[in-house]
Amino acid sequence: MSVPVICTTLLIEKSPQALPLGAACIASAIKHSKDLNEKCEVSLKAFCLEDKDFPKETENAAFYIAEKLMEKACNSKSAVFCFSCFVWNIKILAAAAKMLRERGFICIAGGPEITAHPSFYKDFDYTVSGEGEVSVPELISEILSKKSEKSDKVIISPSPDLGLIHSPYLDGIIDPEEYEGALWELARGCPFKCAYCYESKGEKTVRLFPMERIKAELELFARKKVPQVFVLDPTYNVNKKRAVELLRLIAQKTPDTFYYFEARAELMDRELAREFTKIPCALQIGLQSANEQTLKLVNRPFDKKKFCKGLSILNEEGVTFGLDLIYGLPGESFSSFRDGIDFAISQYPNNLEVFCLSVLPGTDLFDRAEGLGLSWEKEPPYHVLKTKEFSSEDMHRAGKLSKACSYFYNAGRAVPWFNSVCHVLKIKPSKFFEIFYNEFSDICEKSCAQGYCDSHEAIQKNQLDFLLGKFKEKNLMRYFAATEDIVKFYGAISRTTDTGKSETINLNYDAEYVASDYASDIRFFTENLRPKKNRIQTFRNKGVVDFRKI
């Protein structure tokens, strides 16, 4: 009789960005193991915090997972459970494993959180550090043949040959249709060694998946008409020749699929940028800080001139990109962090993601953190509490700016007009976010709650209410009608882009001018154009959103 082997994890949400790829890769490796194909039956079971019946309290959630796993294993006492552990799920999964072990089941754990300190977690029978596609099947084979001893509790995995790893998509372990998209591994490793990243202690190399596998997965995405793909390659454009080749392949095989890439701005050139324009895509680029001394402390090379040039090329070619910032980095003051926000917004990113630094065990930063003056949480998510330059109050203030930016700029889709509004109000972006949070703190806090989703129309109303107050306060009401038009126009365009539904709006100025470059300077616009009431309707035509006067 085959032994049930269940690979499991707990997701924050059910989405293409959060599908259980790590657990699926282990399940796929077990499925294809010659030593196990007649001894066990492997399956994948993923849980999600957003599931309606998933308990909110940790102990209840752990009990729920344990019960469901036993049920899936048909209560077979010989069942083996493999847990994929991350910062956000380790407490619940460790508690579930403890319950299962008390009932006689074997529990194996791996993933980034285990790899960071494999000997720390005692609630599992075995912990596997590193990539587990080779070591986990070998371990299970030893367990089933009764050769494994508990002295082997910690397993250190060598990096496998990526040419020998099977794809969980191609062998049916995971179906991208279920998650409405896919996480797509193109490579493992990174040529850079940023101190706060798990790669900081690894080899300074990038290992590539074979092109044959990549082409086969693309064919699968095409057949299933996968709507979106998040590419797992932390520096997609480090190898320009391969990057261009893959973009052309993507354009050929899946022209209607939207792709998300991580890239380095310093390595961007015009040829590559133009290839990005040939497919539906967006790039996320790690700025992390605009303070060069801070970045040196965390081993992150930064050439501001090249960085700005790369972003300028993306803007000129019309490539959508977002930026990342981290607060709580060593050497960063609250003042320089605010400067980072102002610099980032000045580059016109489509979104600006602002995170608190986590001092992750297993990283170079973890080893040096005390010497750098960092104080941090000793349990997940390991957030920094304060630094020598950044007080706990500063951390709290930075968190407020992050929430305001997330709501007003990102969710509010403010990129087409935000810098213009800041310019006419004579307010720096970081100060703007601070003022907005102070007046709309309840909304900003609520917007960060799990499962919260406000409509863009509701966000736009709050944006306009706030702007109206600021224009009145600064005696700039003569510029508000143009500002209102710009906010409403681009809001309607973005919603039609999302939904395909037409919208009708009333404007104070001629829509042709509102949609033109004139609107980038609100003062000039107002002082040189006369108001002209008109009504427009947005519409989508062959994938392009436009408007008509009615």
Side-chain angles (χ1 to χ4, degrees):
M1 183 176 178
S2 295
V3 173
V5 177
I6 301 173
C7 297
T8 186
T9 193
L10 174 61
L11 310 172
I12 293 177
E13 61 182 12
K14 191 171 184 179
S15 71
Q17 197 173 8
L19 58 76
L21 182 61
C25 286
I26 299 303
S28 182
I30 295 169
K31 179 179 180 178
H32 290 279
S33 170
K34 293 180 180 179
D35 293 337
L36 297 176
N37 56 11
E38 294 182 358
K39 297 178 182 178
C40 66
E41 185 173 344
V42 66
S43 60
L44 176 68
K45 174 64 176 177
F47 299 90
C48 180
L49 291 174
E50 290 185 346
D51 289 345
K52 290 183 179 179
D53 59 344
F54 194 84
K56 302 301 180 186
E57 197 271 330
T58 298
E59 186 174 352
N60 292 337
F63 179 80
Y64 175 88
I65 289 175
E67 289 292 316
K68 291 294 183 182
L69 289 176
M70 287 189 292
E71 180 182 313
K72 187 169 181 62
C74 300
N75 289 305
S76 169
K77 289 298 182 181
S78 60
V80 177
F81 300 105
C82 301
F83 294 83
S84 182
C85 303
F86 297 83
V87 166
W88 62 82
N89 67 21
I90 183 62
K91 287 185 178 181
I92 295 175
L93 293 185
K98 183 179 181 181
M99 294 176 186
L100 289 167
R101 290 182 68 200
E102 289 171 352
R103 302 188 191 189
F105 295 99
I106 297 292
C107 294
I108 302 170
E113 182 62 19
I114 299 299
T115 297
H117 42 192
S119 61
F120 179 79
Y121 292 103
K122 307 298 183 182
D123 294 318
F124 305 96
D125 292 289
Y126 303 91
T127 55
V128 178
S129 176
E131 300 166 47
E133 283 94 346
V134 173
S135 56
V136 172
E138 289 178 349
L139 174 60
I140 292 174
S141 180
E142 291 178 4
I143 291 170
L144 297 185
S145 61
K146 311 296 183 183
K147 294 181 180 179
S148 176
E149 301 291 337
K150 288 298 175 68
S151 60
D152 297 330
K153 179 179 175 63
V154 177
I155 311 297
I156 306 299
S157 295
S159 297
D161 181 347
L162 297 188
L164 302 178
I165 293 179
H166 294 272
S167 166
Y169 294 115
L170 298 177
D171 64 17
I173 290 290
I174 191 167
D175 185 352
E177 285 184 310
E178 181 182 351
Y179 295 88
E180 299 181 345
L183 278 176
W184 192 28
E185 271 197 297
L186 299 182
R188 290 183 183 176
C190 181
F192 303 101
K193 296 299 164 193
C194 305
Y196 47 77
C197 177
Y198 283 125
E199 295 287 347
S200 59
K201 289 187 175 182
E203 298 178 6
K204 200 173 180 179
T205 58
V206 177
R207 294 147 55 221
L208 305 174
F209 281 95
M211 193 59 74
E212 294 77 17
R213 165 175 163 152
I214 289 172
K215 289 179 180 179
E217 288 176 325
L218 265 179
E219 294 284 359
L220 175 71
F221 297 160
R223 288 197 305 273
K224 289 183 171 289
K225 298 181 179 179
V226 173
Q228 53 184 325
V229 172
F230 289 82
V231 176
L232 292 180
D233 184 340
T235 49
Y236 175 76
N237 60 330
V238 73
N239 183 329
K240 179 187 168 182
K241 181 179 178 181
R242 180 178 168 89
V244 169
E245 180 184 2
L246 283 173
L247 287 172
R248 290 172 179 169
L249 194 62
I250 287 168
Q252 176 189 350
K253 301 288 186 183
T254 57
D256 299 321
T257 299
F258 198 98
Y259 285 81
Y260 297 87
F261 298 91
E262 294 179 81
R264 294 287 294 219
E266 296 94 326
L267 302 177
M268 190 60 59
D269 65 16
R270 201 162 296 278
E271 180 190 8
L272 182 57
R274 286 176 178 167
E275 292 298 331
F276 279 116
T277 66
K278 296 175 183 177
I279 65 170
C281 72
L283 280 56
Q284 198 67 22
I285 294 170
L287 170 60
Q288 319 310 8
S289 171
N291 185 327
E292 294 186 37
Q293 291 304 119
T294 288
L295 293 175
K296 284 182 180 179
L297 288 174
V298 292
N299 303 329
R300 183 175 179 84
F302 179 64
D303 185 320
K304 195 169 187 177
K305 186 176 180 180
K306 287 184 178 179
F307 187 90
C308 291
K309 182 179 179 181
L311 296 188
S312 177
I313 290 172
L314 292 176
N315 276 320
E316 289 167 7
E317 296 297 330
V319 180
T320 299
F321 69 89
L323 296 176
D324 295 333
L325 275 179
I326 301 175
Y327 60 93
L329 288 165
E332 183 95 277
S333 66
F334 184 68
S335 176
S336 67
F337 166 68
R338 292 179 66 142
D339 290 343
I341 290 179
D342 297 335
F343 169 73
I345 293 293
S346 74
Q347 304 301 307
Y348 292 87
N350 184 64
N351 61 284
L352 175 60
E353 305 297 338
V354 184
F355 305 98
C356 177
L357 176 65
S358 289
V359 181
L360 299 171
T363 64
D364 175 62
L365 182 64
F366 182 87
D367 294 343
R368 297 191 290 122
E370 290 187 4
L372 291 170
L374 305 185
S375 174
W376 71 98
E377 298 169 336
K378 297 306 186 283
E379 292 187 358
Y382 309 112
H383 282 160
V384 166
L385 301 172
K386 63 179 180 178
T387 75
K388 288 189 294 186
E389 300 84 4
F390 222 98
S391 68
S392 56
E393 177 59 29
D394 288 336
M395 294 296 294
H396 186 59
R397 292 164 68 193
K400 292 179 178 179
L401 296 185
S402 171
K403 292 169 184 174
C405 176
S406 178
Y407 183 85
F408 193 101
Y409 190 84
N410 297 347
R413 308 173 192 177
V415 61
W417 49 264
F418 188 79
N419 278 303
S420 301
V421 168
C422 286
H423 180 72
V424 73
L425 288 173
K426 295 183 178 179
I427 301 176
K428 290 184 176 181
S430 57
K431 184 65 176 178
F432 185 103
F433 293 138
E434 179 182 3
I435 297 170
F436 180 78
Y437 181 91
N438 290 339
E439 295 188 21
F440 288 82
S441 58
D442 289 346
I443 290 173
C444 291
E445 292 294 335
K446 184 180 178 183
S447 70
C448 294
Q450 185 179 336
Y452 174 83
C453 183
D454 207 350
S455 69
H456 183 254
E457 290 93 334
I459 296 173
Q460 181 178 284
K461 181 182 182 304
N462 290 328
Q463 288 172 326
L464 288 171
D465 287 347
F466 174 75
L467 292 174
L468 177 61
K470 293 304 107 185
F471 276 78
K472 283 182 178 178
E473 182 183 304
K474 290 180 171 287
N475 295 317
L476 295 171
M477 280 304 295
R478 62 192 179 279
Y479 301 116
F480 182 73
T483 300
E484 181 183 34
D485 276 6
I486 296 165
V487 173
K488 288 169 61 178
F489 175 81
Y490 284 105
I493 291 291
S494 72
R495 291 190 294 272
T496 299
T497 301
D498 275 355
T499 67
K501 296 179 180 178
S502 294
E503 292 201 12
T504 301
I505 58 172
N506 297 314
L507 298 175
N508 301 297
Y509 287 84
D510 190 309
E512 298 291 345
Y513 289 116
V514 175
S516 74
D517 290 340
Y518 287 117
S520 63
D521 187 333
I522 295 172
R523 286 179 181 271
F524 178 87
F525 184 97
T526 302
E527 291 166 2
N528 289 275
L529 296 172
R530 291 183 179 181
K532 181 182 179 182
K533 297 285 185 181
N534 61 126
R535 186 177 178 85
I536 67 164
Q537 182 182 57
T538 59
F539 64 94
R540 181 185 285 176
N541 181 25
K542 295 181 180 179
V544 178
V545 176
D546 204 344
F547 67 92
R548 62 172 70 91
K549 295 179 182 179
I550 57 174

